[in-house]
Amino acid sequence: MVLRTVVTHAKKHPALIPLFVIIGCGGVGASLYLMRLAMFNPDVSWDKKNNPEPWNKMAPNDQYKLFSINMDYSRLKKDRPDF
Amino acid sequence: MAEDIRAKLGRYKTAPFDSRFPNQNQTRNCWQNYLDFQRCQRAMAARGADVTPCQWYFRVYKSLCPTSWVTAWDEAREEGTFPGKI
């Protein structure tokens, strides 16, 4: 419904099409990143009973961030004692 | 393994990079190491094993945590009001 409004509006004012595209990409990108954070961020725990500390399930050389610069994750080793 | 950890403790300078907490806010790093120290001590004592490896967590949280937090948590543990699961 929103898409049809946008399409008829764009036909009447074709100069506005780049605006729609850019805003659309921005909105989609923001929601995609939000879904990524909700599903894959190890700080997020949806099920506190079965998965109370998901950050402890990371291997020592897992990368937490989306873009990490100047950090060579392949060389990291586990250095905490087991118990 | 015990010799390993003793050598590591001898060479300890500061808390190493922890990939679970790569950002500037290290609060959870401090909290997690404090919890891990308490859990490690309890688990090793229950098994009757050597408690020395737990000293790693002790050194790390001492490096990271503000002293006032540590004293507050120690008191909370004694009173039984500590919020974490040990």
Side-chain angles (χ1 to χ4, degrees):
Chain A
M1 184 205 63
V2 172
L3 210 45
R4 185 162 331 150
T5 320
V6 167
V7 167
T8 40
H9 202 116
K11 285 203 214 146
K12 286 210 302 202
H13 306 277
L16 288 181
I17 291 180
L19 179 68
F20 290 135
V21 169
I22 292 176
I23 301 290
C25 287
V28 166
S31 12
L32 281 181
Y33 186 62
L34 198 58
M35 292 316 296
R36 177 195 141 96
L37 281 181
M39 293 194 290
F40 302 124
N41 187 346
D43 278 340
V44 167
S45 166
W46 292 103
D47 185 0
K48 281 226 265 243
K49 200 177 299 175
N50 297 334
N51 191 9
E53 293 180 355
W55 57 89
N56 279 334
K57 304 213 170 113
M58 287 172 65
N61 57 4
D62 275 350
Q63 180 170 323
Y64 174 112
K65 302 184 181 190
L66 186 53
F67 298 116
S68 104
I69 310 168
N70 278 348
M71 183 74 212
D72 188 0
Y73 276 88
S74 49
R75 286 176 193 269
L76 292 177
K77 299 175 308 222
K78 177 179 166 74
D79 53 5
R80 302 196 305 267
D82 290 316
F83 58 92
Chain B
M1 194 54 222
E3 279 319 301
D4 247 354
I5 191 73
R6 260 176 249 269
K8 261 206 321 200
L9 285 170
R11 279 180 284 139
Y12 182 87
K13 294 272 187 282
T14 189
F17 175 76
D18 194 333
S19 64
R20 298 172 297 172
F21 316 106
N23 291 317
Q24 181 173 353
N25 186 346
Q26 294 288 297
T27 312
R28 189 160 259 165
N29 196 351
C30 150
W31 173 250
Q32 192 58 48
N33 282 110
Y34 185 81
L35 275 188
D36 281 345
F37 177 64
Q38 309 304 329
R39 290 174 183 170
C40 175
Q41 286 214 302
R42 168 183 274 210
M44 297 299 216
R47 269 189 276 163
D50 177 25
V51 192
T52 341
C54 303
Q55 281 301 311
W56 174 262
Y57 298 110
F58 178 80
R59 302 294 296 274
V60 173
Y61 87 66
K62 267 273 180 277
S63 307
L64 291 169
C65 302
T67 326
S68 57
W69 291 7
V70 177
T71 42
W73 291 336
D74 286 340
E75 283 164 22
R77 265 192 308 120
E78 270 160 45
E79 288 173 21
T81 55
F82 186 69
K85 212 163 71 108
I86 296 188

